[in-house]
Amino acid sequence: MRLFAILGSILIFTISCTQSETKKTEVDEYPDGFPYGNVPREKPNTPMSAALERVYDGTYAGLENHSNQLFSRFKYTPLKGFDYGKKDARISRRDASKVIKANGKYYVWYTHRNTPTPPDAEAGNDTIPSRDWDLAEIWYATSEDGFTWEEQGVAVPRLEKPYPGWRSVSTADILVYKGKYYLYYQAYTEMPGGAGRGDDCPVAASVSDSPDGPWTPSNKVVVENGPEGTWDQFIIHDPYPLVYKDKIYLYYKGEMGGNPRVRAQGLAIADHPFGPFKKHPLNPVINSGHETALFPFKEGIAALVSRHGLEHNTIQYAPDGVNFEIASITSLLPIAPGAHVPDAFVDNGNGRGITWGLCHFRDVLKVGGDSQSYSMLARFDCDLSLDLNDPEMKESDIFNDSSINFKFGLTTAQLKRIKEALHE
């Protein structure tokens, strides 16, 4: 009995100390309200709203945009050196890869289409493309400064039947691994947009000893579609390889169906560039995005998440390359960015970030009563680097010309609805 009494006394003493300690941490440091001027850099012991809790709990990695290493605005510059003919949608360049530096110059790979007619979703056949990326090849270009480019020609042509990519090869990205170069790309074996499954295609790859080629295709699917009934059963798009944790981390976009389609990002991991790739059990690892670009940052991986989903227009970060959280919210993110990531394949646990890359813009043409589109490459610049301090890139108060806003005006159907409501 005496033993139980002693244990009880110890328990009561421990609880009392814990309660006393709890009361100490509940002190309101700012009973008159949150302070002006000298905003506390460390989380204070004071009641705070959910909004301020997010500031201090690491969601945005800084109290303001200027101190957030993963916030940036983006600036764009037209490129020199590319010919688009009459700009009538028969020539298109889009979906730039990561930019690498080799042989003293920059290299980029991209989807190139040069067809007798523009894309036609209804009339697509063996010579008429159904989409901007249909009946396409992977081309490459080089540059001394990142602004003026010299097109070098085809890197990966459409393959022969029945190999993956005989219909079209598009959306390439580059991996440099153990002295060799690997291009991953969407490998179509049917017309994009056909059979009601969206753009049904897996990922294939080609290898070369030089960034200038020649490229030898794997002649096989490298990253398979998911099993029937799973989120990526039809769509494995935008393959994006990095070397991380001594393995090849290949991120990709999948679609979960729905109307409009729900896009998300998955991860597949391999020990060898041609696989086998094993998909991560937590897929999808990012719940939004389209043509998502990623790069090593500190010990983890950062991602530009644009266009689609609940978390579009965000820059996200995963210290383990898997569990991504929002690091910043921004605007005017580049479409299909291919950044210059100098340490994409270094795997030293000290990623330095990015400052520039290539993307594409899409022009929509009105021909008769139809809309036709083609894409052109452009350059983007930013400050998402630990080695750059450009305060202007951290400015979020951006004013656009009014013509830009008016371009996104009400549609004819919306105007009709509003006018009809006035007479109800």
Side-chain angles (χ1 to χ4, degrees):
M1 291 294 293
R2 186 178 178 186
L3 177 61
F4 285 120
I6 293 172
L7 290 174
S9 298
I10 294 172
L11 179 61
I12 292 170
F13 178 75
T14 303
I15 292 172
S16 176
C17 290
T18 302
Q19 289 175 339
S20 175
E21 195 65 33
T22 301
K23 288 179 181 177
K24 282 183 182 179
T25 60
E26 290 177 352
V27 171
D28 187 349
E29 292 187 9
Y30 303 106
D32 297 326
F34 207 76
Y36 171 82
N38 187 22
V39 180
R41 294 284 147 176
E42 300 295 329
K43 186 176 183 179
N45 292 327
T46 194
M48 289 186 291
S49 66
L52 277 182
E53 290 280 354
R54 289 196 298 273
V55 169
Y56 288 102
D57 287 344
T59 302
Y60 299 115
L63 287 172
E64 63 279 304
N65 291 333
H66 286 77
S67 63
N68 187 343
Q69 295 167 326
L70 282 175
F71 172 84
S72 182
R73 66 185 294 185
F74 296 85
K75 297 196 172 187
Y76 298 93
T77 307
L79 297 180
K80 297 179 180 179
F82 293 112
D83 178 15
Y84 291 90
K86 298 179 180 179
K87 297 184 178 181
D88 57 4
R90 289 185 290 177
I91 300 175
S92 183
R93 296 177 182 87
R94 55 181 293 133
D95 298 313
S97 71
K98 289 187 292 293
V99 177
I100 68 168
K101 194 166 189 179
N103 304 325
K105 53 191 172 184
Y106 297 111
Y107 283 77
V108 70
W109 292 261
Y110 47 90
T111 305
H112 182 275
R113 177 181 55 78
N114 188 345
T115 49
T117 63
D120 190 324
E122 303 299 326
N125 56 31
D126 288 345
T127 57
I128 299 175
S130 65
R131 298 287 191 273
D132 193 16
W133 51 92
D134 189 19
L135 300 178
E137 299 175 314
I138 306 301
W139 282 43
Y140 79 111
T142 59
S143 175
E144 300 290 336
D145 61 4
F147 291 92
T148 299
W149 293 81
E150 182 178 353
E151 197 155 51
Q152 301 296 328
V154 64
V156 180
R158 294 162 58 194
L159 278 68
E160 297 181 2
K161 283 187 177 182
Y163 298 118
W166 65 262
R167 172 72 194 193
S168 187
V169 288
S170 70
T171 321
D173 214 320
I174 185 73
L175 169 72
V176 182
Y177 188 76
K178 295 185 177 180
K180 292 184 180 292
Y181 299 81
Y182 296 85
L183 282 174
Y184 297 83
Y185 43 85
Q186 294 172 203
Y188 287 93
T189 56
E190 62 178 49
M191 185 170 63
R197 298 189 298 266
D199 276 3
D200 184 355
C201 79
V203 170
S206 294
V207 62
S208 175
D209 292 325
S210 163
D212 293 295
W215 296 88
T216 302
S218 61
N219 287 332
K220 67 174 184 176
V221 171
V222 174
V223 182
E224 300 274 358
N225 295 85
E228 184 177 355
T230 60
W231 75 287
D232 57 358
Q233 66 174 335
F234 296 136
I235 306 299
I236 305 288
H237 283 184
D238 310 326
Y240 195 97
L242 297 168
V243 178
Y244 185 61
K245 295 185 177 180
D246 200 31
K247 294 183 182 295
I248 298 158
Y249 274 48
L250 189 144
Y251 296 87
Y252 64 91
K253 183 192 77 186
E255 291 185 354
M256 299 186 228
N259 186 20
R261 295 182 183 276
V262 179
R263 272 95 177 190
Q265 313 300 313
L267 168 62
I269 303 174
D271 293 313
H272 186 274
F274 283 166
F277 279 89
K278 183 178 180 180
K279 294 181 181 179
H280 199 280
L282 295 183
N283 277 350
V285 296
I286 300 177
N287 64 29
S288 301
H290 192 127
E291 302 150 331
T292 299
L294 303 101
F295 53 92
F297 194 80
K298 298 182 178 178
E299 77 277 11
I301 301 292
L304 305 183
V305 182
S306 64
R307 295 186 61 192
H308 294 126
L310 295 170
E311 295 177 354
H312 70 286
N313 286 347
T314 63
I315 299 172
Q316 302 196 14
Y317 179 67
D320 59 358
V322 175
N323 292 286
F324 286 84
E325 298 283 353
I326 295 173
S328 70
I329 302 169
T330 186
S331 59
L332 296 179
L333 271 77
I335 297 173
H340 174 47
V341 189
D343 53 7
F345 319 116
V346 174
D347 191 27
N348 62 6
N350 184 26
R352 306 308 296 173
I354 62 172
T355 60
W356 70 279
L358 301 190
C359 61
H360 73 238
F361 292 111
R362 187 177 60 140
D363 268 7
V364 178
L365 310 172
K366 292 291 185 180
V367 180
D370 299 326
S371 294
Q372 298 169 343
S373 68
Y374 75 102
S375 302
M376 64 181 72
L377 297 177
R379 174 182 167 123
F380 72 88
D381 283 82
C382 61
D383 179 3
L384 294 170
S385 170
L386 299 175
D387 303 316
L388 176 67
N389 180 21
D390 187 340
E392 190 175 348
M393 288 296 190
K394 301 296 184 180
E395 180 59 58
S396 62
D397 193 13
I398 302 171
F399 289 93
N400 290 324
D401 186 276
S402 60
S403 63
I404 296 175
N405 294 296
F406 291 139
K407 187 174 182 179
F408 298 95
L410 294 166
T411 65
T412 301
Q414 289 169 330
L415 285 169
K416 181 181 178 182
R417 169 179 55 78
I418 293 169
K419 290 179 180 179
E420 289 175 348
L422 293 173
H423 300 290
E424 290 179 355

